[in-house]
Each structure stands twice: as structure tokens, then as C-alpha cells.
Amino acid sequence: MKEILRRLLRFLMTPIRRRYRQRNGMENTCQRKEIPNEILLGLAREMIEEGHSATISVKGYSMRPFLENQRDKVKLEPCIELKKLDAVLAEISPGHYVLHRVIAVNGQDVTLMGDGNVRGTEQCRISDVAGVVTEYIRPNRIIMASDKRLIRRIRIWQRLLPIRRYLLFVYKAVI
């Protein structure tokens, strides 16, 4: 009898749970198929080099708090001019791509660091940059990369590098 009641309750609550997950960006209504990064990002790079834009889902925690794992998407476009604080998709070694923020540009050399990283940087050449992020796509809204409020938050976050470890600890506990 308990089992029958449990199944009935689960059956009745399923639409409510599904709606809650959809509203909060926890569940995608379409089927999700995962492709290995080296294949997907290689194809995205080819599309961007041809002059098209590419939208990819974010995977990983290195860009917290601005991008969340499997919740957010980014729109990538060809890189015309690379500036400090741009988020870029770059190939740091053959077949290994990262979506990180530019912290320095010295001639043809680019230094990258994830917003969620407390230390450690990556080095690449400008030619290794596949594309630059132009839009941050969240479940409820789209934020342009040129948004002044976003840029101000990114600058503040960069200055908080010495205490970033503690801020990320609190952020992870809250989220």
C-alpha cells in the first residue's frame, strides 16, 4: 500500500517538479547530447574562422561567478581586436581549449586566467584565440559583453584576486 501511494504521489508531483526545474534553469526541455570538447570546440573554431558566430554551453567552474557550469551559454564571434578583460575561447595546447578572461596582451602573447581561479594562468598566442565572447546567455536573460555594469563587476572582481578564494567559498556555499 505504501508503495502504491508513493508512486501515485510521485506521478502527481512530476509536472510541478518539472516546471520548477525549467523556471530555475535546472532542466532543459530538449534532449541533451554531450560531445567531447576537442571535437565540439574544434568545430566551433572552424565556424568562427569562417566568419560565423557559435553558441556553446559552458562546462566547468573556472569562470565562476560570471558563468555557471551547464546553466549558461556564451555566444562567440571572430576576434577583431583583443582587449584586456575580454572572455575568449583559446586553444592553449593542441586539442585543449579554455574559455577564460584575458588579463594581459604583450605583442602576440596573451595571458589568460579564469574568473574562478585563484592562481595559475595560461599562455597562448593571439593566433590561438578562436573567438571572443559577445553575449552571456542565462536561462532568463541575455547579457551583452559590452554591458557597462558587467564590465564594472569584472574589473572589481579582478581587483579582489587576493581574497577571491574566500569569496568563491562563500559563493559555492550559497549556490
Side-chain angles (χ1 to χ4, degrees):
M1 187 64 161
K2 276 186 180 180
E3 184 65 28
I4 293 171
L5 286 173
R6 189 178 318 146
R7 286 184 183 191
L8 179 63
L9 190 59
R10 180 172 282 218
F11 175 75
L12 293 173
M13 294 298 290
T14 298
I16 296 169
R17 275 194 306 243
R18 187 174 294 137
R19 217 173 305 131
Y20 175 79
R21 288 181 180 150
Q22 287 172 353
R23 283 185 190 153
N24 294 311
M26 297 165 63
E27 183 179 286
N28 197 347
T29 56
C30 61
Q31 284 290 85
R32 186 181 190 116
K33 189 168 190 174
E34 197 164 317
I35 300 171
N37 275 348
E38 55 272 0
I39 295 171
L40 175 70
L41 298 178
L43 291 172
R45 181 180 189 155
E46 288 176 18
M47 286 184 60
I48 293 167
E49 286 174 351
E50 291 173 2
H52 301 286
S53 64
T55 302
I56 60 170
S57 294
V58 175
K59 196 168 159 186
Y61 301 99
S62 67
M63 287 299 284
R64 266 185 175 170
F66 296 103
L67 295 170
E68 193 61 43
N69 180 44
Q70 295 184 353
R71 180 194 72 181
D72 298 334
K73 297 177 183 178
V74 292
K75 182 177 180 183
L76 298 163
E77 292 189 358
C79 181
I80 298 166
E81 180 186 350
L82 199 59
K83 301 182 306 260
K84 186 178 176 181
L85 301 182
D86 280 344
V88 297
L89 178 68
E91 187 174 17
I92 58 172
S93 64
H96 184 83
Y97 291 87
V98 294
L99 179 72
H100 282 175
R101 199 161 305 281
V102 175
I103 58 171
V105 179
N106 298 322
Q108 291 295 311
D109 295 325
V110 180
T111 305
L112 307 169
M113 182 178 194
D115 293 333
N117 296 350
V118 292
R119 65 174 178 262
T121 59
E122 293 89 15
Q123 302 290 326
C124 71
R125 311 278 295 162
I126 288 181
S127 59
D128 295 329
V129 174
V132 64
V133 174
T134 57
E135 294 179 4
Y136 298 90
I137 303 167
R138 298 218 172 125
N140 300 332
R141 62 188 168 148
I142 296 174
I143 303 170
M144 300 302 293
S146 58
D147 183 48
K148 292 187 185 301
R149 288 177 28 201
L150 176 66
I151 293 169
R152 186 170 44 244
R153 288 179 186 148
I154 291 168
R155 283 191 180 129
I156 291 169
W157 186 251
Q158 291 293 317
R159 288 188 193 120
L160 294 173
L161 182 60
I163 61 168
R164 193 183 286 181
R165 171 186 314 256
Y166 308 108
L167 296 172
L168 286 168
F169 178 78
V170 171
Y171 178 80
K172 289 176 193 175
V174 171
I175 296 297

